[in-house]
Each structure stands twice: as C-alpha cells, then as structure tokens.
C-alpha cells in the first residue's frame, strides 16, 4: 500500500516535471484579414518562440509558461496577450500596420556583412532562376479576392450606399472584432496547368476549372482567362518585376547596391535549411523598390522565402501598400519554383469621402515537371479554357484547394452573392461597364457604342445615332453588328453593318463582310484612329477638315497561323465623294475629276513574339507584349478595273516597342515607314496626322497642323520617355508632390514624286483657287522636341513642345503647350 502510494506520488511528480503547454493560433492583418507569414511569436521574457508559417499559423510547446505571448513583425505594431495556466490554449492575433521608418545602419570599418551575402546570391541568380530550365510545367491553384475597404461614415451614410451597408451589417463581420469591415465585390478560384518553354521563350496556361462570382460579372469565360496564374508572375530572380504595369527592382538584381541597403538580422532555421535573415530597404524611399525581409540559404545562397512591401513613400498614385510573400522550393534540376505566393494591393481613397480598394491574390504550385518541353504549336494560344471550364462541383474544389476556405472567405462568397441582387449595386456596376466598354448588354444584344449616340459638327449639325451588336449569348460563331446615324443639317443617313463568322477560336480565324456609308476626314479616318477613341471623338466635333462621303464594301479574312503571327487579307471597294473643293488630273483622259472609286486587294501580317492575347467575348484582345516588339507589315494593290479608277500599290511597316531602362524609367518608340507606287490623288497618299487641339496625344505630331504634310514615301520615328521618379525625386518639393518628368522626340522624313504633285491643280475649272497639300523635303526632317511633367494632382499632365523645322510654313508655331488627363499609378 505504501509502495503503491509512493509510485503514485512519483508518477504525479514526473508528470508535473515534464508537463508540456501547447499554445497555438493564427496571426493576421487587422485591416485586410490576410495571414501574416514569418511573424515572430515568443513567450515574454524567454527565448522560447517560433515564426508563423505561410498561412500565419503557429504552434508553441513549452515546459513553463510566462505571463503573456508577444507577436511582432516588421511594419506592424507589436501585440501581446495574456496567457492562461491551461495545458492547451488558442490565441489569435490581429496586427495593425505601422508607418515605420528604418534607421540608418552605420558600420565603423569594413564592409557591411550583408553585402557579401547579397553579392553571392546575385552572382548565382542564373543557377536558381526557373527561366534557365529548358521547360517546366506545374499545376496551380489561384485565388483572387477584391474588396471595397475604408468605408468611412460619410460613405456609409450616403443614400445610395445605405442598402448595401445594411446587408454588410447583417452578415458576420469579415475579419473579427479587432479588424475593419470590408465590402467584398469579387471572388474567384482557378485550377490550371501552366507550361513554360525556353528557346524560344513561350508560355501557356490551360484553365481546367474556374469559379467566378462578382458584382457586375456577366461573362465568366472572359474573366476566367485573367484569373489564372499567368498574370501572377513574381520572379525575384529577374532584374525587374512588373507589378501594376510598373517595373520594380529585385533586391538581388544586377546593380543591387545602387538601389538598396541591407542589414543582416539573424541566422535562423527555416524548415530544415539554415538561412541568413536580411532586412532590405531602398536607398531612396521614392524609388520603385522593396522594403522587408528575405531569407537566403547559407549553403548555396538561394532564396528560401521573401516578405516584401512596396512602401507608401514610393512614387506611385493611389497605392497605399503592396505586399508580396513567397516561399520557394528547389526543382529536381536545381532552379527554384515558388510553392506559394501571396500578394496584397491596397488602393487608398481618392478623397476622404470615398472608399478604398483591396485586392488579394494567392497562388499555390505543385506537381512540377521539368525539362519535358511541349512542341511549339502547343503554345499557339497563351490562355486556353477547357470546354467544360464552367462546370464545377463542391467535391472538386474541396480536393483542389491547398487549404479549406476560411470562415471569412465563406462569408465573402455569401456577401458577393447577396450584393449582386441589390438593385442599386446592379445599376452602378452595369453603368460603369457601359461607360468603360461603350456597350450595354441586353440579353443576347449589346447596345452601343455610346460615344456615337450624339455628335455636333458644321456639316451635319446635330447628329443622333444608334447601334447594336450580338454577343456570345446569341452565338459564339456568328457576330452581327450594325449602326445608323442621321444629321439634321445635311439630312443624310449614315450607316455601317457587318457579318462575321468565327471559324476557329483556338487559332483565331474569322471571315467578315461589311458595308458602310460615313463622313470621313482626310488624314483623320475612323479606321486609323479607333485605338485613340478620345482623339477620334474630339476630331469629329466642331468644324470638319477636308470632309468627304466614304462608301466602303468589302470582305476580310484573318487567321493566327502560330503564336503571335496573325495573317490578314481581303478586298475593299470604296467611293470618295468630297464635301470640299477638290479636283485631280485623271491619268488617262487628262481631265480633272472631283471623285473617284477604288478597288483594293489587301494583305498584312502582325507578329508579337510574346504578346498576350485573350478572347474577350467574340473579340480578340491584346494585353501587350512582355519583352519583344510588335511588328506589322501591310500591302495593298489598287486596280484600274473591277470598278476601280486607280492603279497603285501601297507598302507599309510599323513597329512598337516598350523598353525598360531601369533607373531612367520606361521608354517607348514607334517606327512607321511606307511607300505608295503609282500616280494617285493625294487622299490616297499618306496624310500625316497633326494636332491643332490643346490636348496631348501619342497618335499625332503635336506641333503639326492638320493635313499640313502629305507623302508618298516616308519614314518616322517617335520616342517618348517616362522618367518615373528619376531626376524629380531628388528635388525636395517635387519629391513630395510625386511629379514625374517626361520627354518626347518625334521626327519625320518624307517626299512626294513629281507625277503626284502634277495631278493636283491649284485652281478649279472655274479658276477659283484650290487648297492643295504640303510637302516635306526628303533631306530635311520634320522635328519636334517635347518635355513636361505628369502626375500633377495625380491626374494631369502638361507637355511643352518646340517645333524645330519648317517654321516658315503658314500657320506654323514654334512653341506649343499641350495638356491631358490620365489615370496612372
């Protein structure tokens, strides 16, 4: 009995001596509800602690408890919570961001020890860059959430918003009692296969399943193409990372010492890897660079994980914070692949009485296969939807998610579904889409475009118009489009109509018949200005310059034969009827005529090696190229026969390229060259686009008058430079205002052959003087230089242009001031 009691007491003593306390929980951002990875969690006044995992979770086992648990992380206020004397307890933390300023680190002698680590990591970039692989493919899960946040009381009390916020209040708060309320408007999940191939560098994403819900979202197929991982590429082994169409320098890029300072904080184990933990921050706070923490493995100097923020002081508009967290894993061949990436973009309020925007992106990658390249034709379409992409089941998503949806995310789905049914939300969301796209969907028909509903000019007076087109609900193979307008001064109807058959959506192939009757202007034709809708609309108000009635009928065919290579061909029949005094000398009869007809065969190619194309409804839309220029070559042959009066040929070449210049910002240049063979009236020639308005446009020469110069052979180069924060960031006042310096250089060479000069009379048959065209001297280029400032009050831009040549021309002015408004980050 005594012995049994002894053993019982001994057992209890041992149990007390080896008792384990378990503390677990999650650390999240109080404003966004996002998990905070790599945060420090430690028992107060002890050395017992751990860092949170990528999802923000932690778990600490301890023999002895302290009175509280402390959580800290760079860029957040430290928080502590009291511990209970319990064997197991759960404590969740919500940290609030702090506007921290990093101290300057001064080293008395020798080199900063962090520099050698960064130097070696930078030298070995190619060893670990996934682009050095011959090929790779992976299975990706991508989750996107977009919320409205910073719901001020003034915003909440607006009459149009009350019905929305009352719904928000009725649903469980989306973070918790320490967080802030958000209004979710979009949520998507996507499972895809991503493929990459080197030499040539090609990318493709196959969207296998997608689930999209959002306010104003009507076409899930279009949205699904931009919710995959192809648009969530964050490779810190590149020198520059493109985020929100801005280029940010990597902390381990070539020339890292020019942009960054570093501090070696600690040496720690991350999983089973011993890592250097380094703090990075920009040398100039306005530069497009990162602040935060990176972990570099000690054995090979590869990146293990990153937690980086683009600070508020960076020269960006409206962006309050961008945060990127990433874990990297080695492939069987050595280079690293991100296993998990989380990005948060917080857009600030434009005014105190408006709301902000919060966008969250999460990508998890697994099932990686390396160096097994797909054939080149496989990459023909950059983003491909599987036929059953819209069919999804609950079991599929439960098995595909790396982690289950949180309670907050389930509440977000409930909220978005509820918001979509509120009339005021539908009104505003559909109204915004109507303004942005120009069309209002009504069932299977789209009404628009709205800019053509009303116009006023000297020929037509008040002009009213109306247009319709079918959408994908009507058919994914046929597109019918039509428009009509009526001028109350000229009492003439104008119209356009087309019928398009989509033969192949994978290798984009269409055939189209069309017909139109419209008032055009020489050098300001609608077809050549469609990409600059604001300038086009402005040019058709007020006084029309050299107007004429144009009738066009034709057939057009296009096909993408391989990735980036689009071939176009067709026939066009047109009629030119001038609405201003015009004559030309007819070549065969030597008689003067004031109208003509043309019959043209057309062919052209367009090539963008890495251009990203998506299929938007029943249209092919370009999202631009990543690195290489976009090139177009076009040819046209006019026939004196088949209804045509003129025999000629046209050949043209166009190239556009965006180049990253690092510290100096971003440059863009355009080359345009062409030649017209044959004797033709000047409306057939190249009538160079000038700009007599006060508004700046990239489509024209901004110091040239309308129709001032015409050429039958020409070459132009236009270059514009956005210096971002370079130069002005070093001036204290400019740094605070975040103004940005811009520059332009535009030059043009051209000439007209004698036979095309001779066929333009200076007087009409009655002897009245006629306006002719201006000509360039091939040896003297037209040249204009411009400079200016953008980002004035975040929206406005002012450019100052100097015209350097042809100053003796009638109406020429040596100095011009142009203004414009733009929404840029």
């Amino acid at each position: 009995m005594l012995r049994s009691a002894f053993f019982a007491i001994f057992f209890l003593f041992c149990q007390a001596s080896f008792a384990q306390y378990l503390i677990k929980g999650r650390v999240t951002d109080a404003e966004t509800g996002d998990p905070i990875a790599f945060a420090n969690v430690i028992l107060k006044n002890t050395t017992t602690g751990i860092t949170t995992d990528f999802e923000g979770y932690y778990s600490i086992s301890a023999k002895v408890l302290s009175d509280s648990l402390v959580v800290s992380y760079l860029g957040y206020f430290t928080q502590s919570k009291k511990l209970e004397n319990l064997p197991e307890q759960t404590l969740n933390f919500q940290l609030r961001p702090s506007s921290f300023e990093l101290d300057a680190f001064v080293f008395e002698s020798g080199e900063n020890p962090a520099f050698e680590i960064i130097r070696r990591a930078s030298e070995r970039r190619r060893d670990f860059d996934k682009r050095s692989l011959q090929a790779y493919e992976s299975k990706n899960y991508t989750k996107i959430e977009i919320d409205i946040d910073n719901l001020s009381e003034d915003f909440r009390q607006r009459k149009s918003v009350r019905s929305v916020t009352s719904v928000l209040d009725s649903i469980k708060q989306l973070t918790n009692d320490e967080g802030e309320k958000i209004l979710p408007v979009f949520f998507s999940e996507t499972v895809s296969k991503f493929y990459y191939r080197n030499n040539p560098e090609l990318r493709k994403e196959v969207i296998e399943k997608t689930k999209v819900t959002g306010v104003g979202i009507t076409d899930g197929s279009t949205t699904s193409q931009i919710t995959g991982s192809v648009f969530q590429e964050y490779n810190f082994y590149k020198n520059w990372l493109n985020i929100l169409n801005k280029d940010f320098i990597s902390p381990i890029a070539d020339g890292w010492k020019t942009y960054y300072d570093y501090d070696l904080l600690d040496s720690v184990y991350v999983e089973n890897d011993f890592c250097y933990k380094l703090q990075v921050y920009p040398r100039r706070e306005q530069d497009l660079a990162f602040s935060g923490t990176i972990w570099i493995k000690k054995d090979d100097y590869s990146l293990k994980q990153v937690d980086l923020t683009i600070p508020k002081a960076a020269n960006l508009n409206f962006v309050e914070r961008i945060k990127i967290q990433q874990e990297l894993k080695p492939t069987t061949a050595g280079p690293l692949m991100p296993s998990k990436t989380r990005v948060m973009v917080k857009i600030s309020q434009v005014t105190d009485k408006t709301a902000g925007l919060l966008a969250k992106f999460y990508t998890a990658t697994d099932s990686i296969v390396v160096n097994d390249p797909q054939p080149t034709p496989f990459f023909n379409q950059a983003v491909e939807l599987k036929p059953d992409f819209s069919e999804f089941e609950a079991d599929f998503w439960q098995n595909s998610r790396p982690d289950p949806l949180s309670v907050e995310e389930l509440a977000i789905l409930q909220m978005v579904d509820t918001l979509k049914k509120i009339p005021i939300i539908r009104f505003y969301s559909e109204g915004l889409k109507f303004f942005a796209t120009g069309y209002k969907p009504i069932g299977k028909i789209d009404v628009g475009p709205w800019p053509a509903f009303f116009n006023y000019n000297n020929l037509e007076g008040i002009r009213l118009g109306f247009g319709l087109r079918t959408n994908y609900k009507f058919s994914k193979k046929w597109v019918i489009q039509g428009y009509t307008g009526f001028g109350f001064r000229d009492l003439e109807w104008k119209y356009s109509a087309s019928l398009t058959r989509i033969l192949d959506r994978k290798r984009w192939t269409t055939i189209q018949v069309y017909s139109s009757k419209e008032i055009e202007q020489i050098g300001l034709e609608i077809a050549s200005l469609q990409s600059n809708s604001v300038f086009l609309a402005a040019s058709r108000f007020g006084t029309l310059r050299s107007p004429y009635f144009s009738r066009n009928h034709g057939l057009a065919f296009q096909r993408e034969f391989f990735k980036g290579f689009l071939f176009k061909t067709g026939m066009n029949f047109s009629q030119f009827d001038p609405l201003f005094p015009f004559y030309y000398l007819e070549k065969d009869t030597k008689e003067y005529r004031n109208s003509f007809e043309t019959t043209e065969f057309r062919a052209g190619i367009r090539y963008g090696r890495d251009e990203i194309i998506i299929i938007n409804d029943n249209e092919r839309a370009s999202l631009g190229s990543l690195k290489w220029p976009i090139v177009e070559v076009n040819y046209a042959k006019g026939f004196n026969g088949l209804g045509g009066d003129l025999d000629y040929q046209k050949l043209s070449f166009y190239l556009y390229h965006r180049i990253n210049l690092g510290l100096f910002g971003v440059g863009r240049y355009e080359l345009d060259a062409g030649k017209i063979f044959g004797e033709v009236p000047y409306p057939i020639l190249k009538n160079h686009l000038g700009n007599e308005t006060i508004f700046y446009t990239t489509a024209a020469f901004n110091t040239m008058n309308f129709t001032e110069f015409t050429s039958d052979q020409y070459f132009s180069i236009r270059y514009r430079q956005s210096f971002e924060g370079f130069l002005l960031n070093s001036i204290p006042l400019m740094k605070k205002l975040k103004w940005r310096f811009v520059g332009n250089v535009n030059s043009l060479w051209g000439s007209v052959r004698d036979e095309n000069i001779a066929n333009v009379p200076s007087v009409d048959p009655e002897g009245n003087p006629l306006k002719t065209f201006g000509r360039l001297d091939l040896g003297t280029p037209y040249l204009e230089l411009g400079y200016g400032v953008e980002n004035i009050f975040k929206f406005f831009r002012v450019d100052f242009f100097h015209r350097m040549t042809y100053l003796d021309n009638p109406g020429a002015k040596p100095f011009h001031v142009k203004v414009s408004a733009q929404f840029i980050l």
Side-chain angles (χ1 to χ4, degrees), residues 590-622:
K590 302 300 181 181
E591 296 180 352
Y592 285 107
R593 299 180 56 180
N594 65 352
S595 65
F596 57 83
E597 296 180 358
T598 64
T599 298
E600 273 189 4
F601 164 77
R602 297 173 177 176
I605 58 172
R606 173 189 172 93
Y607 181 59
R609 178 173 175 176
D610 57 359
E611 188 176 17
I612 297 176
I613 301 292
I614 65 169
I615 307 304
N616 179 22
D617 197 348
N618 285 329
E619 296 179 325
R620 184 178 185 268
S622 170

Side-chain angles (χ1 to χ4, degrees), residues 408-425:
E408 291 80 7
E409 288 170 332
L410 292 172
I412 285 168
L413 285 171
Q414 178 189 357
M415 185 68 185
V416 173
D417 287 336
T418 303
L419 287 175
K420 289 161 60 176
K421 301 172 184 177
I422 298 177
I424 190 67
I425 291 290

